[in-house]
Amino acid sequence: MTILRALGLGLALTMAACAPDAAETSPPGSDATGSHADAASVDAATGQRPDADPGEGPLELRYTEHLGQLTGTARNPLLPVGMSGTDLGVAFARDGLVAIMFGDAWMDNRDSMAITAAAFPDDGHLPKLTWLSGDNGQFIPFAVPEIDLGAFNVPVEAVPAGDLTYYFFSTGYDFSPDVGRHSHSVLAHGTGLTMSPLVLDHKVASDRFINVSVVVDDGTAWIFGSGAYRKSPVYLARVPLSQIADRDAWRYWPAFSAGEQTAEPIMPIPCVGELSVRRHPALGIWLMAYNCGEPRGIHLRTAPAPEGPWSEPLLVYTPEMGYEHFIHANESVVGHDDGLSDRGRENEWGGEYGPYLVPEWFSSPAPGVFAIVYLMSSWNPYQAHLMRTYLARPGVSWAPPDAGAGLPPATLTNGDFGDGCTAGWEHTGATFVCFTDDDGLIRLTTSTPGQGDAATGTLSQKFAVDDQTHELGFFIHGGDAEVDLVDGDEVIRRSFGRRDNETETEVRWNLEDLRGHTLTVIIDDHLTGPWGFVGARGFELR
């Protein structure tokens, strides 16, 4: 896991809200339970229940950490189930499990679902996903008769109701520059975790309830919605859970009258798209998370009841927390490769969106401290991540650990290949070679005189990151092979050759959130075809 601190990357705040706006949209899901009567007894001023300790006030933000990339990893690979990337992560509880619905799969835009244990792992790993798949091992995509679930048309919420599960989808996305939004909300149902084919309940044109988040409370489904794509206020409706499929039975805030056009915003902020509302299982308060552009980041609000009053937002995540840490920064703008991009997308920004709360994974690590866990997507890499934000009552100290303190300065042996080429590096396979170019610099290449591009093997070296080391820098050139940074079993940075022997790319891997970790840098050539090599020079810890 990595601690996120504001690092003053002013550049990140000026880059287009481009990356997240280029991505799909989707919100949350779960069947959180609890008594609305209990929620109504929560004090509106403090956001606390009356049984809270005396003198305890509203929750305050302490810090946010990146627990890790959830999808597309060694623990949760995507290629074996038929995709290479995905986004969103709408979580809901069903049959003693946490199920997570994912948005458009890379590259064919189908939508998928995986299940995992309701209890968060206590072994330091992220949850292990099991994809709902067919006999061929490929994931089963969501399917609703007569409904287009292609690009940008995605599942946004799931609501268990007895033996059935109701699934909401945002559909009808219009890519025209003067439109750029969804047109319809679709509801369909299946038995248990059945996802294909579903039974269509309704398809409704809407400008207020396209992205929806639903909390079932004492038999009532409270439905929070947004309309225009990432430009919407938040609206509220309610309906008996038994009538959720009947759109005419929905009643809308503030008067809870019939007809969507009577709905007025409970939160008149014109920036919401993906949103997630859940009840805190211990505190009883209601939580709302959403991405917004003003100010840009992930916002978290609390309320004693679904109707509010809703607090002012806590900005629990800002762009500089992610760029060059686990979200890619456009290489052509920042001037170097950060090792986070999907291959071929190096000049495309990533961005944060889709914060979906998972109350089953909330915790209280210390008295007066409450950890909120949510999924978040990054666009580039096109994957879902797990985040954790720590909230605390006033006066309760809770700070990030001083990771890496006491470790000796991180070092690499023979990072410039000037001491006998590969001395100090562990190697497997072919013996790679070094050469001195016209500029007098020593470079290593994995293309050998005997085997050429067909040579395969690795060079690797371990190092522990102390509390002063902030990055690993080097230069890369050549073919299609790669240089990796590995933490345990997971590749957390990867930079590729660019099929260019004339120009090299500067690589700068940020290590600040990895202090205290023992990492391995690996020059990895497992390719045998044309351009099956990579070149590198000048490995340096700073």
Side-chain angles (χ1 to χ4, degrees):
M1 67 186 67
T2 59
I3 306 302
L4 306 181
R5 301 176 175 88
L7 300 176
L9 303 178
L11 179 62
L13 294 175
T14 61
M15 69 183 62
C18 44
D21 284 346
E24 25 265 39
T25 89
S26 276
S30 105
D31 62 339
T33 58
S35 163
H36 186 213
D38 289 346
S41 67
V42 175
D43 185 85
T46 65
Q48 304 297 318
R49 297 198 314 200
D51 58 356
D53 294 340
E56 292 173 337
L59 300 178
E60 299 174 346
L61 174 64
R62 288 297 179 262
Y63 68 94
T64 292
E65 64 182 358
H66 176 238
L67 293 175
Q69 184 174 303
L70 181 63
T71 58
T73 63
R75 186 166 178 80
N76 292 314
L78 292 176
L79 287 175
V81 295
M83 60 181 123
S84 60
T86 189
D87 71 350
L88 307 182
V90 184
F92 65 99
R94 167 103 223 179
D95 302 331
L97 300 168
V98 168
I100 306 175
M101 304 184 297
F102 293 93
D104 293 340
W106 197 276
M107 290 283 299
D108 62 8
N109 297 313
R110 294 180 297 165
D111 310 311
S112 60
M113 184 159 67
I115 56 174
T116 188
F120 198 85
D122 59 5
D123 58 2
H125 293 289
L126 294 190
K128 173 65 176 175
L129 301 179
T130 300
W131 297 87
L132 300 188
S133 57
D135 293 339
N136 62 357
Q138 302 293 284
F139 74 86
I140 299 172
F142 277 99
V144 183
E146 302 179 16
I147 299 298
D148 176 11
L149 292 180
F152 274 48
N153 298 333
V154 291
V156 298
E157 180 62 294
V159 185
D163 292 336
L164 302 181
T165 302
Y166 289 92
Y167 298 97
F168 284 91
F169 300 85
S170 59
T171 67
Y173 193 85
D174 188 332
F175 290 89
S176 304
D178 58 340
V179 179
R181 59 157 294 171
H182 300 88
S183 61
H184 287 76
S185 173
V186 166
L187 182 65
H189 72 269
T191 301
L193 292 173
T194 298
M195 53 190 292
S196 176
L198 299 175
V199 178
L200 177 64
D201 294 301
H202 63 239
K203 176 183 178 181
V204 176
S206 177
D207 61 3
R208 290 170 171 81
F209 291 87
I210 293 291
N211 280 288
V212 297
S213 186
V214 182
V215 178
V216 177
D217 186 30
D218 198 22
T220 296
W222 293 91
I223 306 164
F224 298 81
S226 67
Y229 188 62
R230 297 178 179 168
K231 298 178 182 178
S232 177
V234 178
Y235 300 88
L236 176 65
R238 71 184 185 195
V239 66
L241 178 59
S242 60
Q243 297 177 270
I244 194 170
D246 180 4
R247 198 78 171 220
D248 291 337
W250 291 21
R251 296 296 179 263
Y252 301 89
W253 191 88
F256 290 110
S257 55
E260 182 180 310
Q261 296 308 311
T262 67
E264 297 179 12
I266 60 166
M267 209 172 295
I269 45 172
C271 69
V272 178
E274 298 91 342
L275 78 163
S276 177
V277 182
R278 295 290 182 262
R279 277 193 77 191
H280 195 290
L283 298 174
I285 59 175
W286 295 61
L287 306 172
M288 179 186 296
Y290 56 91
N291 41 280
C292 181
E294 290 294 333
R296 184 178 157 188
I298 303 301
H299 295 211
L300 180 71
R301 295 177 185 252
T302 63
E307 306 96 324
W310 286 91
S311 70
E312 291 299 308
L314 292 174
L315 190 59
V316 298
Y317 172 92
T318 57
E320 64 267 26
M321 293 179 178
Y323 283 117
E324 302 196 66
H325 296 263
F326 63 95
I327 297 179
H328 178 62
N330 187 321
E331 181 180 307
S332 64
V333 176
V334 299
H336 57 265
D337 177 3
D338 59 17
L340 295 166
S341 178
D342 293 331
R343 186 191 285 264
R345 301 178 68 203
E346 289 82 7
N347 292 330
E348 184 176 352
W349 289 105
E352 73 289 343
Y353 61 101
Y356 300 124
L357 297 162
V358 192
E360 292 74 22
W361 296 341
F362 291 3
S363 63
S364 179
V369 180
F370 305 95
I372 309 300
V373 176
Y374 47 100
L375 289 103
M376 190 178 81
S377 296
S378 58
W379 185 245
N380 188 11
Y382 190 60
Q383 304 290 350
H385 303 256
L386 270 186
M387 310 294 294
R388 181 158 54 198
T389 290
Y390 290 91
L391 307 171
R393 291 182 171 135
V396 175
S397 297
W398 188 258
D402 191 9
L407 290 176
T411 59
L412 286 175
T413 301
N414 194 26
D416 63 1
F417 305 115
D419 183 11
C421 189
T422 60
W425 294 76
E426 296 291 328
H427 82 275
T428 65
T431 301
F432 301 147
V433 298
C434 295
F435 62 95
T436 302
D437 217 332
D438 294 341
D439 56 12
L441 298 173
I442 301 173
R443 291 173 171 84
L444 176 133
T445 179
T446 67
S447 180
T448 68
Q451 296 176 279
D453 295 359
T456 61
T458 66
L459 281 182
S460 63
Q461 193 166 159
K462 291 183 180 295
F463 62 95
V465 187
D466 65 287
D467 60 350
Q468 299 300 310
T469 299
H470 66 93
E471 74 176 17
L472 170 60
F474 59 97
F475 292 84
I476 195 169
H477 71 275
D480 295 332
E482 66 207 38
V483 183
D484 295 336
L485 186 65
V486 178
D487 187 2
D489 295 329
E490 298 294 348
V491 176
I492 55 174
R493 303 284 188 274
R494 172 167 284 165
S495 294
F496 302 97
R498 307 293 173 82
R499 292 198 171 194
D500 188 344
N501 284 329
E502 302 300 324
T503 305
E504 60 185 4
T505 299
E506 182 180 8
V507 177
R508 295 171 61 179
W509 289 343
N510 192 295
L511 303 178
E512 291 176 352
D513 301 326
L514 298 165
R515 288 169 174 162
H517 294 228
T518 297
L519 308 175
T520 305
V521 57
I522 305 176
I523 302 170
D524 184 0
D525 180 356
H526 55 276
L527 306 176
T528 58
W531 294 99
F533 70 99
V534 70
R537 73 166 176 90
F539 287 84
E540 180 184 9
L541 288 163
R542 306 171 184 128

